[in-house]
């Protein structure tokens, strides 16, 4: 649904801030693609854009693709911004630029909802999810779009049911410039891991869209030109297991109908390994990747962070089970936990070897507001506000020791030989278990073939000829070519290249040890 009953017309400029380099956004892979410039279409801002009154013209700009221009600001009557903590400085910068045009600026999304005080200059703070605060904001702008005399905080008390969410306005985004497509089925998570802000922000009782909404969204993504991978951004795909079971047959049907042009990915807790009935259906729906927050292989640490549900099956067994349904596990790992010991880095590298997981996001612990971790560390006087550090946590081990251990893990885990060996394992023991999707006319379009050829050319030239790890690459690539597995080759080569490049710089201190740290993010850089 849209906001209704508003006669006045307002022109709204929605601006999504630029990310800075991060392990999880794959930017070292972009030069190998056919023009990708950004990670995923931002769900929140495109959702708000779709919710605005039908007669309000909306422009959407993702500054990862291009910066908002003078002409954009002159066109607009008000500006909407949304983003995560890591984009805080960029969001404040967009506000400053919009104010130069005397425009009212509203901010919504996860960062302002958790930390309104990060955004003192904005005119409107939209705290919480889509709901009565959104209607209030729209009504106020309809009455008067000029800047209010002082900041107005609008907090959602009554959230809009997700079944009434409109389809995000994907048509406003330059969808082909994104590395992945994105979609959201549910919000919230029933668990309460100590470090996580999801239950605090979105609740413990997952709210849901309907399966029909999801297939309609997939139709729209397809219409807008998404092929390749689509990521369910839900915090936990099995947060409501029954809902996952209800959705999967619809996804299977949709994939059959549209010719399997999309490979699906999601985030889920590792105890999904105990649910063969769900895994089997995910396999049929062509889910190829699951991000699991494994966090640590140390059972004591899992207990301490209230993530015991990761131990419902032995971790390695859980990973193997998921692999046996054709899905690669991507793992989140945290270092700097109170339970860490001097030998934690070594143990983690042994786990990487044993699990054969190629892609692990290894981060230093960061305390986020609205989490039990934050509250505990505050009580213990162990929160440190110092932008020169990679974490705001006063670790029990010496800070330098933790950072050095992280650098060592990054360096060793993503050595080209080791990484490609893990990918070879995936080819043999995971990808081999995927359903054999029929080659359909939808996949063989000229646009898809051209895209594949461009990516292959880039990969062969930039990695196979110029790359300093080309020998390792060809050892993997030649058998793939022999098997005609071009798609598999492209996706592994692109991701591996990002991981190798990022880890090399990380191991010499040129990348942050935490996705949340702002140490290297001081300058707000609009897209050129
Ligand atoms: S299972 Fe995942 S989403 Fe849920 S509380 Fe834990 S870390 Fe957060």
């Amino acid at each position: 649904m849209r906001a209704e009953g508003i006669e006045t017309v307002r022109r709204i400029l929605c601006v999504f801030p630029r990310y800075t380099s991060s392990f999880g956004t794959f930017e070292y892979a972009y030069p190998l693609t056919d023009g990708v410039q950004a990670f995923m279409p931002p769900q929140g801002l495109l959702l708000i854009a779709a919710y605005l009154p039908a007669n309000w013209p909306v422009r959407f700009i993702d500054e990862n693709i291009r910066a908002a221009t003078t002409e954009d600001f002159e066109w607009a009557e008000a500006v909407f911004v949304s983003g995560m903590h890591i984009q805080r400085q960029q969001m404040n910068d967009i506000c400053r630029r919009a104010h130069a045009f005397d425009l009212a600026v509203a901010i919504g999304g996860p960062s302002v909802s958790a930390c309104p005080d990060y955004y003192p200059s904005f005119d409107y703070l939209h705290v919480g999810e889509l709901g009565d605060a959104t209607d209030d904001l729209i009504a106020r702008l309809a009455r008067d779009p000029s800047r209010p005399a002082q900041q107005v905080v609008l907090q959602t008390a009554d959230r809009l049911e997700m079944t009434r969410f409109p389809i995000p306005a994907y048509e406003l985004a330059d969808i082909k410039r994104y590395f992945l497509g994105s979609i959201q089925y549910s919000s919230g998570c029933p668990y309460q891991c100590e470090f996580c802000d999801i239950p605090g922000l979105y609740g413990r009782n997952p709210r849901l869209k309907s399966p029909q909404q999801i297939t309609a969204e997939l139709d729209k993504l397809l219409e807008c030109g998404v092929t390749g991978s689509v990521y369910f951004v839900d915090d936990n795909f099995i947060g409501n297991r029954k809902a996952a079971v209800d959705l999967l047959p619809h996804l299977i049907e949709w994939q059959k109908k549209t010719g399997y042009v999309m490979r699906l990915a999601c985030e889920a807790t590792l105890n999904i390994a105990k649910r063969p009935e769900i895994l089997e259906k995910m396999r049929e729906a062509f889910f190829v990747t699951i991000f699991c927050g494994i966090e640590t292989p140390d059972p004591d640490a899992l207990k301490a962070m209230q993530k015991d549900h990761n131990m419902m099956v032995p971790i390695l067994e859980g990973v193997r089970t998921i692999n046996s349904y054709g899905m690669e596990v991507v793992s989140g790992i945290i270092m700097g936990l109170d339970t860490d010991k001097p030998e934690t880095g070594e143990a983690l590298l042994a786990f990487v070897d044993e699990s054969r997981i190629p892609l692990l996001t290894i981060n230093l612990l960061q305390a986020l507001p609205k989490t039990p971790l934050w509250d505990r560390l505050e009580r213990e006087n162990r929160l440190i506000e110092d932008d020169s550090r990679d974490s705001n946590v006063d670790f029990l081990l010496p800070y330098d020791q933790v950072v050095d251990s992280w650098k060592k893990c990054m360096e060793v885990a993503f050595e080209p030989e080791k990484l490609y060996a893990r990918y070879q394992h995936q080819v043999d023991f995971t990808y081999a278990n995927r359903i054999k999707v029929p080659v359909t006319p939808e996949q063989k379009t000229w646009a898809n073939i051209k895209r594949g050829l461009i990516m292959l050319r880039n990969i062969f030239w930039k990695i196979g000829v110029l790359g300093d790890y080309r020998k390792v690459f060809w050892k993997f690539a030649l058998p793939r070519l022999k098997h005609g597995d071009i798609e598999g080759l492209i996706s592994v080569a692109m991701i591996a290249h990002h991981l190798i490049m990022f880890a090399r710089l990380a191991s010499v201190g040129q990348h942050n040890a935490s996705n949340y740290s702002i140490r290297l993010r001081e300058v707000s850089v609009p897209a050129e």
Side-chain angles (χ1 to χ4, degrees), residues 188-199 234-236 267-269 293 295 305-307 309-310:
C189 177
Y191 298 109
Q192 276 189 303
C193 306
E194 192 193 27
F195 57 86
C196 180
D197 60 356
I198 298 298
D234 307 36
D235 312 307
N236 182 0
E267 297 182 13
T269 37
E295 322 303 359
M305 65 171 73
Q306 279 111 53
K307 199 147 191 175
H309 50 272
N310 265 7

Side-chain angles (χ1 to χ4, degrees), residues 360-405:
L360 306 99
T361 61
I362 309 173
N363 274 300
L364 290 193
L365 181 69
Q366 178 84 1
L368 299 176
K370 297 219 163 163
T371 59
L373 176 69
W374 175 281
D375 297 341
R376 175 169 69 82
L377 294 179
E378 197 170 46
R379 278 195 310 275
E380 294 172 7
N381 206 16
R382 289 177 55 207
L383 290 173
I384 300 182
E385 281 260 350
D386 176 356
D387 288 351
S388 67
R389 294 173 102 251
D390 273 334
S391 167
N392 61 351
V393 177
D394 186 8
F395 302 128
L396 294 184
L397 289 173
Y399 173 77
D400 288 341
Q401 187 178 347
V402 175
V403 174
D404 286 349
S405 175

Side-chain angles (χ1 to χ4, degrees), residues 270-271 273-274 309-319 321:
L270 190 60
N271 53 7
K274 284 192 66 171
H309 50 272
N310 265 7
M311 295 188 291
M312 284 167 82
V313 277
I315 292 179
L316 290 174
E317 195 184 308
V319 173
T321 302

Side-chain angles (χ1 to χ4, degrees), residues 207-326:
R207 299 178 313 125
L208 300 161
K209 292 181 185 166
S210 68
Q212 290 73 19
Q213 278 173 288
I214 292 300
T215 49
E217 274 194 41
L218 287 170
D219 284 338
K220 182 150 176 194
L221 282 170
L222 197 55
E223 237 175 75
C224 293
V226 172
T227 52
S229 299
V230 171
Y231 198 94
F232 278 83
V233 298
D234 307 36
D235 312 307
N236 182 0
F237 189 69
I238 55 161
N240 178 330
R241 279 196 297 273
K242 182 182 171 307
V245 171
D246 288 347
L247 174 65
L248 285 164
H250 295 267
L251 293 181
I252 294 168
E253 267 318 294
W254 188 87
Q255 289 281 42
K256 282 184 185 159
K257 190 181 82 190
T258 53
Y260 295 91
V261 284
M262 289 186 194
R263 300 150 72 95
L264 305 178
C266 70
E267 297 182 13
T269 37
L270 190 60
N271 53 7
I272 196 172
K274 284 192 66 171
R275 300 286 161 185
E277 73 286 5
I278 294 183
L279 291 172
E280 182 51 43
K281 291 226 154 48
M282 290 175 79
R283 179 175 176 268
E284 279 180 60
F286 209 29
F287 274 84
V288 296
T289 308
I290 303 186
F291 181 101
C292 293
I294 290 176
E295 322 303 359
T296 165
D298 175 359
D300 292 338
L302 286 170
K303 220 178 179 114
M305 65 171 73
Q306 279 111 53
K307 199 147 191 175
D308 312 43
H309 50 272
N310 265 7
M311 295 188 291
M312 284 167 82
V313 277
I315 292 179
L316 290 174
E317 195 184 308
V319 173
R320 298 272 177 272
T321 302
I322 294 170
N323 292 163
S324 73
Y325 288 90

